[in-house]
Amino acid sequence: MKREYLILATVFLLLALVPFLAAATGQTSWTRLVGQALIYGMAAASLNFILGYGGMISFGHAAFFGIGGYVVGILYHHFDAGTSFLGLIPGTDQMLLTLPAAVLVAGLAAALVGAMSLRTGGVQFIMITLAFAQMFFFLFISLKTYGGEDGIMVRRTNALPGLDMRNRDTLYWVVLCFAAAYYLFLRRLVQSSFGQIIAGIRQNERRMAAMGISTFRYKLYAFILSGMGAGLAGALMVNFLRFASPDMMHWTRSGEFMIMVILGGVGTLAGPFIGAGVLFTVETTLARYTEHWMLPVGILLLVVVLTSKGGLMALIRKLSGGQK
C-alpha cells in the first residue's frame, strides 16, 4: 500500500512539473498535449469502470463526453449573449457551476440510456448504446442556435475564484487535480462493497440475482456514475480547447475510448490513463507525417493485445517485478 501511494505521488509530481519542463526545453506544446491526454484518460477510465469491472461493453460512451462539453458551451453562449437557456436557466462562465451542471446532465442522459439498454445484453446492448450515441450526435448537429455541425466557440475558459484561468499552465494544473481526484474516486469506488457487487455481476449475474441482489439497479447506478465521469471529462475538454463540437460524441470517439482502455489494460485503474497517453502521443506524432496514421496505431494495438494479456499495465507490472 505504501509503495502504491509513493508511486502515485511520484507520478503526480512529475506531471505537475510538465509546464516547467516544457518552458525549459522550449516545447510549450507539451503542456497542451499532456493536458488533453489526462482528460481523455478520465473519459477512458469512466468507460473502463463499466467495461472492465462491470462487463458492460458500451459503444456510445462518447455521447456523455459530448453532452458534458456542450453544457459548458451552451451555458457560456447564453452568458456571452446575456440570455437564458429555455428562458429559465441563466448562462454562466463560472467553473464551479458549469462542471456540476455538466456532470448532472450527463448523468441524467446516462440514466435514460441505461434504463433502456441495460434490459438487454451482449450485441443488443452494444448496438443500443451505439444508436443512442448517434441520436445525440445528430441532435446536436441540428441545433443551429449552438453552431450546428460547426460546433460552438467558448471564447474564455470558465473562471475559478482566485485563479488566472487564462493562463495555460494554471488550467493544466486544474485539469491534473481533477484527473488525480477522479482516479482516487474510482479507486475507492472499485474497492467498496458497491464495486465488489459490480464485479460479482460481471462474473456471474445469475448467481448474484439468486442472492437477492437487484442486478439491474446496480448496473444502472454504475452506468450513471460512468456517464457522469465522461461528462466531467467532456466539460474539462471544452474548457481546455475552448470549443465544443458534435464530433465529441461521434461513435468513432467511443471507439477511441475503447482502444485506450484495451491498450492500457481492461479492468485496471491506471491502464486507461496510460492507454490514453500512449494513443494520443502516437496519434499526434504520426499525424505530422502521414494522414494514414491509423494504420500504425492499429498495428500497435494488435501487438499489445497479442503479446501482452492485460495491455500495457501488465507489461509494466512484469518489467517492474510485480504481478503479471
Side-chain angles (χ1 to χ4, degrees):
M1 186 68 69
K2 291 182 179 179
R3 182 180 178 224
E4 182 181 358
Y5 281 120
L6 180 61
I7 293 174
L8 290 176
T10 303
V11 170
F12 181 83
L13 177 61
L14 290 175
L15 289 173
L17 293 175
V18 166
F20 299 111
L21 296 174
T25 58
Q27 301 292 332
T28 55
S29 62
W30 286 2
T31 303
R32 181 185 180 92
L33 293 177
V34 177
Q36 287 183 253
L38 285 170
I39 296 172
Y40 279 129
M42 291 177 63
S46 68
L47 172 61
N48 182 57
F49 177 64
I50 58 172
L51 172 63
Y53 295 97
M56 293 171 269
I57 306 174
S58 170
F59 257 96
H61 215 63
F64 314 125
F65 181 74
I67 287 172
Y70 260 94
V71 169
V72 173
I74 291 172
L75 288 175
Y76 182 85
H77 171 82
H78 287 287
F79 167 79
D80 192 45
T83 58
S84 298
F85 177 67
L86 300 178
L88 299 173
I89 304 174
T92 179
D93 69 338
Q94 297 298 311
M95 191 174 286
L96 292 178
L97 296 176
T98 58
L99 293 190
V103 170
L104 176 61
V105 175
L108 292 174
L112 172 65
V113 175
M116 297 185 180
S117 61
L118 288 172
R119 299 184 184 280
T120 63
V123 177
Q124 291 85 359
F125 175 77
I126 296 173
M127 296 308 297
I128 290 177
T129 56
L130 176 60
F132 268 108
Q134 288 303 96
M135 287 169 59
F136 283 119
F137 171 74
F138 287 110
L139 170 64
F140 280 92
I141 281 182
S142 68
L143 298 179
K144 302 302 181 183
T145 304
Y146 304 115
E149 61 183 355
D150 294 326
I152 182 172
M153 293 293 298
V154 177
R155 296 182 181 179
R156 290 184 299 177
T157 302
N158 288 170
L160 264 180
L163 296 176
D164 180 13
M165 296 303 289
R166 295 187 182 185
N167 184 295
R168 179 62 60 176
D169 293 346
T170 302
L171 177 58
Y172 169 82
W173 285 316
V174 169
V175 168
L176 175 60
C177 290
F178 271 106
Y182 189 63
Y183 174 88
L184 294 175
F185 167 75
L186 285 178
R187 184 176 180 276
R188 182 71 183 95
L189 186 63
V190 168
Q191 294 175 349
S192 67
S193 57
F194 176 82
Q196 297 301 311
I197 291 174
I198 294 299
I201 293 174
R202 183 197 76 240
Q203 295 169 9
N204 195 321
E205 185 171 352
R206 289 186 177 181
R207 182 174 296 176
M208 297 298 287
M211 294 171 60
I213 294 174
S214 175
T215 58
F216 174 80
R217 181 161 56 92
Y218 275 95
K219 288 166 66 176
L220 179 59
Y221 290 162
F223 197 87
I224 293 173
L225 287 173
S226 179
M228 293 171 74
L232 174 61
L236 289 173
M237 184 61 79
V238 169
N239 272 287
F240 204 78
L241 300 180
R242 290 184 292 182
F243 178 70
S245 166
D247 288 340
M248 293 178 68
M249 58 186 73
H250 194 262
W251 71 269
T252 54
R253 185 73 65 189
S254 296
E256 287 183 3
F257 294 155
M258 190 76 69
I259 292 174
M260 292 172 188
V261 172
I262 296 173
L263 187 61
V266 178
T268 62
L269 290 171
F273 289 94
I274 295 173
V278 171
L279 181 64
F280 191 69
T281 301
V282 171
E283 283 185 8
T284 304
T285 303
L286 294 178
R288 298 175 182 175
Y289 303 101
T290 175
E291 62 181 10
H292 305 294
W293 53 266
M294 282 301 295
L295 177 60
V297 168
I299 295 174
L300 172 63
L301 182 62
L302 284 173
V303 170
V304 171
V305 171
L306 294 176
T307 61
S308 177
K309 184 179 180 181
L312 292 174
M313 272 301 297
L315 181 61
I316 292 173
R317 288 172 179 171
K318 184 176 181 180
L319 295 175
S320 62
Q323 295 179 351
K324 296 183 180 180

